[in-house]
Amino acid sequence: MKSVRLSEIRRVLVIKWSALGDVVIASALMEDVARAFPDAEIHLNTQPNCAGLFAHDPRFSEVWAIDVRSKKRRWANSLAWLRKVRQGRYDLVIDLQASDHSRLLLALLWLTGGAPRVRVGNRGGFPYTHQPAIRKSGAHALPMMQSVLESIGIPARTTRPVLHPPPERLAVVDELRPRHGLGDGDYVVLLPGSNASGKLKRWGAARFVELARLLHAGGVAKIVVIGGPDEVDECEEIARAGDYVLNLNGQLQLFDIAPLCSGASAIVGNDTGTAHFASAAGRPLLVLCGPTDPRRVKPIGPGTVAVQAVLPCINCYAKTCRNPDFHACMKTITPAWIAARTPELAAGELAAGRTWPEGIRSF
């Protein structure tokens, strides 16, 4: 396996097609790629629903999206993808996918003589020219993707998402915070949702209501609730806890989440895509996990901690709870316990790798 002279790379293609949360995690690796190739032309290939995240991103000369996973147009779009990559004449392709679809397409390019000369990917093996050290599919996405970069000598040092919001959205948040009295460190952000198909991942509005009350009684001036279309009712229920709760459901765009969270003392939420956007703020973030494995789904960032009950049925990834003690994985994590941990979280003292007598473990 030949070493790569990074200085000779002139055109780079980064591939990342996954769900929004995974793409946000990958934005940290995109920062490392941009630093490694300050003079190269870097293109990003993503899915149509993610392309807008990079519309104002100075790291990329081009962001293009072809839905190769479309059921109706899979073959036609795959052919279009092959033509696009062939025409790009890339020196290096960095495939950050964990599936075999992109691997198959790159293999077809190699067989027809159109593949970039240096090819790296999460899975390793053919048709990649360099092999990452971490190839376990069950590992967290961040170390897997870092291993891909390191296999060709790119230092992987960025530890939280790096996104570039449109300037007009930054102005919106700059106006919103003083209008609602959100001073630096004066508020806690709650993320009570998850997508409609994953409601077992939700801690529950009633628990967030109690947490809001406890935090306010403990001296937190404002509680800010963020959610999307699937969480309208839950956010409204939490807002009824008192006039100290600011419900911003439906009033923000995805790009607004990190700038808004950047002034929070702490953020508490479910395992949801919104938490990944919040992690870009670099503020202390606590993620509540039950049916999903925190070792795989935890947002990245040095201030991020995930907690989970110690139960035999955790990480079930089920859509319907079969435990006779319904939703025990979430009921074990009480509002009083979270409220007691929040000052530690805000101070950066809530570490991973701890187990509490209440039967809760941190990751």
Side-chain angles (χ1 to χ4, degrees):
M1 190 164 56
K2 294 182 180 180
S3 61
V4 178
R5 294 185 179 180
L6 301 184
S7 61
E8 295 179 356
I9 300 293
R10 291 290 175 263
R11 291 176 65 83
V12 180
L13 176 64
V14 178
I15 300 172
K16 190 58 182 174
W17 300 338
S18 305
L20 279 171
D22 291 333
V23 174
V24 171
I25 291 175
S27 71
L29 284 299
M30 297 170 192
E31 185 71 6
D32 292 325
V33 171
R35 290 177 179 174
F37 301 106
D39 301 318
E41 186 173 334
I42 305 174
H43 293 189
L44 173 65
N45 167 222
T46 188
Q47 287 288 283
N49 65 314
C50 297
L53 295 180
F54 305 96
H56 296 82
D57 199 316
R59 296 174 293 190
F60 301 111
S61 302
E62 182 180 348
V63 177
W64 55 275
I66 298 175
D67 189 2
V68 295
R69 299 186 296 186
S70 168
K71 292 182 179 180
K72 293 183 178 180
R73 292 186 52 81
R74 176 170 294 183
W75 292 110
N77 288 356
S78 293
L79 288 173
W81 189 93
L82 291 168
R83 286 194 298 269
K84 178 71 173 176
V85 177
R86 186 185 297 275
Q87 292 166 1
R89 298 184 179 277
Y90 300 109
D91 302 305
L92 165 66
V93 60
I94 300 172
D95 181 6
L96 298 179
Q97 285 298 99
S99 67
D100 285 328
H101 196 159
S102 55
R103 180 179 183 174
L104 173 61
L105 290 174
L106 289 170
L108 288 173
L109 272 177
W110 180 85
L111 290 170
T112 57
R117 63 182 177 85
V118 182
R119 305 174 297 277
V120 291
N122 278 332
R123 295 282 185 164
F126 178 79
Y128 303 109
T129 59
H130 293 70
Q131 311 305 319
I134 301 175
R135 297 164 67 177
K136 183 180 178 183
S137 59
H140 191 280
L142 180 65
M144 285 183 66
M145 292 188 290
Q146 288 176 326
S147 184
V148 171
L149 299 192
E150 290 164 352
S151 71
I152 57 170
I154 297 177
R157 296 170 179 159
T158 306
T159 57
R160 64 182 175 93
V162 179
L163 299 171
H164 294 269
E168 62 269 20
R169 297 312 307 176
L170 293 173
V172 168
V173 177
D174 285 344
E175 185 276 331
L176 181 149
R177 285 183 54 190
R179 173 157 51 92
H180 291 288
L182 302 178
D184 282 345
D186 291 342
Y187 59 100
V188 168
V189 174
L190 303 182
L191 312 173
S194 70
N195 62 58
S197 64
K199 290 194 173 181
L200 285 182
K201 297 195 297 182
R202 299 186 181 185
W203 196 39
R207 296 186 184 98
F208 276 110
V209 167
E210 182 61 19
L211 176 61
R213 288 173 176 158
L214 290 170
L215 292 176
H216 184 61
V220 178
K222 287 276 189 177
I223 306 295
V224 179
V225 182
I226 298 176
D230 291 337
E231 298 98 46
V232 172
D233 292 343
E234 298 216 4
C235 290
E236 289 179 349
E237 183 176 343
I238 298 167
R240 288 194 286 271
D243 58 8
Y244 55 87
V245 179
L246 173 62
N247 180 10
L248 294 179
N249 180 279
Q251 299 180 46
L252 300 175
Q253 296 182 11
L254 288 173
F255 270 126
D256 304 338
I257 294 172
L260 180 68
C261 290
S262 66
S265 60
I267 309 157
V268 180
N270 300 324
D271 168 23
T272 171
T274 308
H276 290 282
F277 281 90
S279 69
R283 301 301 301 146
L285 168 63
L286 182 65
V287 177
L288 314 175
C289 292
T292 54
D293 189 344
R295 294 166 297 184
R296 296 179 61 185
V297 304
K298 173 183 166 182
I300 64 174
T304 300
V305 178
V307 294
Q308 187 180 51
V310 182
L311 295 170
C313 60
I314 55 173
N315 307 334
C316 67
Y317 282 85
K319 302 298 182 183
T320 304
C321 181
R322 296 180 177 85
N323 191 324
D325 185 10
F326 181 79
H327 220 198
C329 59
M330 287 304 198
K331 288 195 295 188
T332 301
I333 306 170
T334 66
W337 189 90
I338 295 294
R341 303 282 83 75
T342 302
E344 297 176 53
L345 175 69
E349 298 171 354
L350 187 62
R354 293 172 60 184
T355 301
W356 285 265
E358 294 89 340
I360 300 170
R361 181 183 301 149
S362 63
F363 297 82

Coordinates of all heavy atoms in Angstrom, one line a residue, residues 284-288 298-299 301-307 345 350-353 356 361-363:
P284 N -22.2 22.1 26.7 CA -22.5 20.8 27.4 C -23.8 20.3 27.0 O -24.9 21.0 27.0 CB -22.5 21.2 28.9 CG -21.6 22.5 28.9 CD -21.9 23.2 27.7
L285 N -23.8 19.0 26.5 CA -25.0 18.4 26.0 C -25.2 17.0 26.6 O -24.3 16.2 26.7 CB -24.9 18.2 24.5 CG -25.9 17.4 23.7 CD1 -27.3 17.9 23.8 CD2 -25.5 17.2 22.2
L286 N -26.4 16.8 27.2 CA -26.8 15.5 27.8 C -27.9 14.9 26.9 O -28.9 15.4 26.7 CB -27.3 15.7 29.2 CG -27.7 14.4 30.0 CD1 -26.4 13.6 30.2 CD2 -28.3 14.8 31.3
V287 N -27.6 13.6 26.4 CA -28.5 12.9 25.6 C -29.1 11.7 26.3 O -28.3 10.9 26.9 CB -27.8 12.5 24.3 CG1 -28.8 11.7 23.4 CG2 -27.3 13.7 23.5
L288 N -30.4 11.5 26.3 CA -31.1 10.5 27.0 C -31.3 9.3 26.0 O -32.1 9.5 25.1 CB -32.4 11.0 27.6 CG -32.3 12.3 28.3 CD1 -33.7 12.8 28.7 CD2 -31.4 12.2 29.5
K298 N -24.6 8.6 20.0 CA -24.2 9.8 20.7 C -23.7 10.9 19.8 O -22.8 10.6 19.0 CB -23.2 9.4 21.8 CG -22.6 10.6 22.6 CD -21.6 10.0 23.5 CE -20.7 11.1 24.1 NZ -19.6 10.6 25.0
P299 N -24.2 12.1 19.9 CA -23.6 13.2 19.1 C -22.2 13.4 19.5 O -21.8 13.1 20.7 CB -24.5 14.4 19.5 CG -25.8 13.8 19.9 CD -25.4 12.5 20.6
G301 N -18.6 15.6 20.2 CA -18.2 16.9 20.9 C -17.7 16.6 22.3 O -18.2 15.7 23.0
P302 N -16.6 17.3 22.7 CA -16.0 17.0 24.0 C -16.9 17.3 25.2 O -16.7 16.7 26.3 CB -14.8 18.0 24.0 CG -15.2 19.1 23.0 CD -16.0 18.4 22.0
G303 N -18.0 18.1 25.0 CA -18.9 18.3 26.1 C -20.2 17.5 26.1 O -21.1 17.7 26.9
T304 N -20.2 16.5 25.3 CA -21.4 15.6 25.1 C -21.3 14.4 26.0 O -20.3 13.7 25.9 CB -21.6 15.2 23.6 OG1 -21.8 16.4 22.8 CG2 -22.9 14.4 23.5
V305 N -22.4 14.1 26.7 CA -22.5 12.9 27.5 C -23.9 12.3 27.2 O -24.9 13.0 27.1 CB -22.4 13.2 29.0 CG1 -22.5 11.9 29.9 CG2 -21.0 13.9 29.3
A306 N -23.9 11.0 27.1 CA -25.1 10.2 27.0 C -25.4 9.4 28.2 O -24.4 8.9 28.8 CB -25.1 9.3 25.7
V307 N -26.6 9.3 28.6 CA -26.9 8.4 29.8 C -28.0 7.4 29.4 O -28.8 7.6 28.5 CB -27.5 9.3 31.0 CG1 -26.4 10.2 31.5 CG2 -28.7 10.1 30.6
L345 N -23.1 18.9 34.5 CA -23.0 19.0 33.1 C -22.5 20.3 32.6 O -21.6 20.5 31.8 CB -24.4 18.7 32.5 CG -24.5 18.8 31.0 CD1 -23.7 17.7 30.3 CD2 -26.0 18.8 30.5
L350 N -19.5 16.3 34.3 CA -20.3 15.1 34.2 C -19.6 14.2 33.1 O -19.7 14.4 31.9 CB -21.7 15.4 33.7 CG -22.7 14.2 33.6 CD1 -22.9 13.6 35.0 CD2 -24.0 14.6 33.1
A351 N -18.9 13.2 33.6 CA -18.0 12.4 32.7 C -18.6 11.2 32.3 O -19.5 10.6 32.9 CB -16.7 12.1 33.4
A352 N -18.1 10.6 31.1 CA -18.6 9.3 30.7 C -17.9 8.3 31.5 O -16.9 8.5 32.2 CB -18.2 9.2 29.2
G353 N -18.5 7.1 31.5 CA -17.9 5.9 32.2 C -18.3 5.8 33.6 O -17.6 5.1 34.4
W356 N -24.3 5.1 38.4 CA -24.9 5.6 39.6 C -25.8 4.6 40.3 O -26.3 3.6 39.6 CB -25.8 6.9 39.3 CG -25.0 8.1 39.0 CD1 -24.7 9.1 39.9 CD2 -24.4 8.5 37.8 NE1 -23.9 10.1 39.3 CE2 -23.8 9.7 38.0 CE3 -24.4 7.9 36.5 CZ2 -23.1 10.4 36.9 CZ3 -23.7 8.6 35.5 CH2 -23.1 9.8 35.7
R361 N -26.1 4.7 33.7 CA -24.7 4.8 33.3 C -24.5 5.9 32.3 O -25.4 6.2 31.5 CB -24.4 3.4 32.7 CG -22.9 3.2 32.2 CD -22.7 1.9 31.5 NE -23.1 0.8 32.5 CZ -23.5 -0.4 32.1 NH1 -23.8 -0.6 30.8 NH2 -23.8 -1.3 33.0
S362 N -23.3 6.5 32.3 CA -23.0 7.5 31.4 C -22.0 7.0 30.3 O -21.1 6.2 30.6 CB -22.4 8.7 32.1 OG -21.2 8.4 32.8
F363 N -22.1 7.6 29.1 CA -21.2 7.2 28.0 C -20.6 8.5 27.4 O -21.2 9.5 27.4 CB -22.1 6.5 26.9 CG -22.6 5.2 27.4 CD1 -23.8 5.2 28.1 CD2 -22.0 4.0 27.1 CE1 -24.3 4.0 28.6 CE2 -22.5 2.8 27.6 CZ -23.7 2.8 28.3

